[in-house]
Amino acid sequence: MAQVCDVTGKKPMSGHNVSHANNKTKRRFLPNLQRRKFWVDSENRWVSLRLSNAALRTIDKNGIDAVLTKMRLEGKSI
């Protein structure tokens, strides 16, 4: 399963582990993804999303209805 946030679209980034001797080896920085269920009153159903911590903060700020509306405008399936 791809490690991508449903709301923000955050994906793993690549970078280097850097040793004390300045040797560099490739590594991946993974987003902080959480699986959460939200009750949506307007649709009278549960919605399950895979979210980054930043997306959880966005939902707390704007509300789940606003976030789902924006996702639908972007063409994402819910």
Side-chain angles (χ1 to χ4, degrees):
M1 180 182 294
Q3 297 222 356
V4 179
C5 175
D6 291 337
V7 175
T8 61
K10 289 189 179 210
K11 300 177 187 177
M13 294 172 50
S14 63
H16 289 98
N17 283 327
V18 181
S19 71
H20 186 69
N22 206 28
N23 298 328
K24 295 175 184 73
T25 57
K26 291 292 260 183
R27 64 161 290 181
R28 293 175 74 199
F29 293 94
L30 300 177
N32 183 12
L33 295 182
Q34 314 289 326
R35 185 167 289 283
R36 291 286 185 263
K37 281 182 169 179
F38 295 95
W39 176 253
V40 182
D41 283 330
S42 60
E43 298 177 13
N44 197 27
R45 70 181 183 116
W46 289 95
V47 174
S48 180
L49 297 171
R50 193 165 188 201
L51 305 169
S52 64
N53 192 42
L56 283 171
R57 290 167 50 102
T58 302
I59 290 172
D60 286 342
K61 182 178 180 181
N62 299 332
I64 187 66
D65 289 323
V67 171
L68 291 177
T69 303
K70 185 178 178 194
M71 286 176 65
R72 287 190 179 106
L73 288 175
E74 294 172 352
K76 296 179 182 174
S77 62
I78 300 167

